[in-house]
Amino acid sequence: MERIENLILIGFMGCGKTTIGEALAKQLKIPMKDTDKLIEEQQNCTIQEIFSQQGEEAFRKMETKLLLELVESKERKVLSTGGGLPLREENVALLKQIGCIIFLDVDKDTVLNRLQHDTTRPLLQGANVEAKVEELLVKRRSFYTSAADIVVNVNYASVKQIVNEICAKVG
Ligand code: S3P
């Protein structure tokens, strides 16, 4: 089967996958899809509802099932992924089949600035969000790095600069 070169954005919650994905898709004149949004549409409920009613493991299975469907898609696109999706080896293998994996590398302070008061991420609710972000970032960084074809630091750059850097790197 011919490999379709999708541009896949991975990285921690709050790294800007959606914002950058939309700008990148606009620049390249291709559609943008988001794994969280696709799962919400399929399940007809929000990510918070899935976590609270069915648990995280059920959500992780939904992510893998969605990727198996996306492997069959012939439409070239920008694909923004949930922050925990590249933690499963199986998921990374599927992402590699469908395109170029771009890791948006963000630091703790930027995440906290953006998500300190966020209510939509089940993993960042309750007390001591800073410790949660720190722990998850440390745990996940090596997964993101080893999955990535391209790494882009997003801490001190504008959306436009990041999009230009990605376009220059993917050629
Ligand atoms: C998650 C990230 C979220 C969403 C879910 C779990 C994670 O997506 O998939 O809340 O495990 O990091 P974003 O990275 O788009 O916030």
Side-chain angles (χ1 to χ4, degrees):
M1 190 176 54
E2 193 194 335
R3 183 173 180 265
I4 296 172
E5 191 72 353
N6 297 293
L7 298 180
I8 302 158
L9 302 181
I10 65 167
F12 200 77
M13 293 171 272
C15 70
K17 288 165 291 186
T18 306
T19 309
I20 293 161
E22 279 164 1
L24 184 62
K26 195 169 170 202
Q27 170 121 342
L28 297 174
K29 300 188 175 62
I30 56 177
M32 139 94 177
K33 302 280 174 190
D34 177 302
T35 58
D36 284 343
K37 286 210 182 82
L38 291 170
I39 289 172
E40 289 186 328
E41 280 165 24
Q42 286 186 341
Q43 299 294 317
N44 200 22
C45 59
T46 64
I47 301 293
Q48 298 103 289
E49 286 165 346
I50 297 171
F51 269 71
S52 66
Q53 292 162 13
Q54 304 184 56
E56 181 174 351
E57 190 47 32
F59 174 71
R60 299 300 172 200
K61 288 190 178 137
M62 291 170 197
E63 288 186 313
T64 302
K65 181 176 161 282
L66 176 69
L67 291 183
L68 286 165
E69 291 163 15
L70 290 175
V71 168
E72 302 299 324
S73 162
K74 298 269 183 275
E75 175 189 61
R76 183 168 184 248
K77 63 185 114 15
V78 173
L79 181 67
S80 167
T81 59
L85 187 144
L87 272 62
R88 275 195 177 194
E89 214 180 311
E90 187 184 1
N91 293 349
V92 174
L94 290 165
L95 292 180
K96 283 187 184 300
Q97 276 186 52
I98 61 175
C100 174
I101 304 179
I102 302 156
F103 167 34
L104 303 183
D105 194 4
V106 71
D107 67 24
K108 187 187 80 178
D109 291 339
T110 306
V111 173
L112 284 172
N113 276 335
R114 293 177 182 170
L115 298 185
Q116 188 89 60
H117 305 292
D118 176 84
T119 55
T120 65
R121 270 67 169 204
L123 298 180
L124 301 183
Q125 300 312 301
N128 215 344
V129 176
E130 182 168 354
K132 285 176 185 157
V133 169
E134 187 150 27
E135 193 198 325
L136 283 175
L137 261 178
V138 169
K139 230 190 247 173
R140 290 176 170 192
R141 205 160 185 285
S142 61
F143 288 89
Y144 296 140
T145 310
S146 70
D149 296 304
I150 290 171
V151 181
V152 178
N153 187 305
V154 297
N155 294 298
Y156 309 106
S158 67
V159 173
K160 196 165 191 289
Q161 285 168 330
I162 296 165
V163 167
N164 288 342
E165 186 176 338
I166 293 172
C167 289
K169 284 183 169 168
V170 295

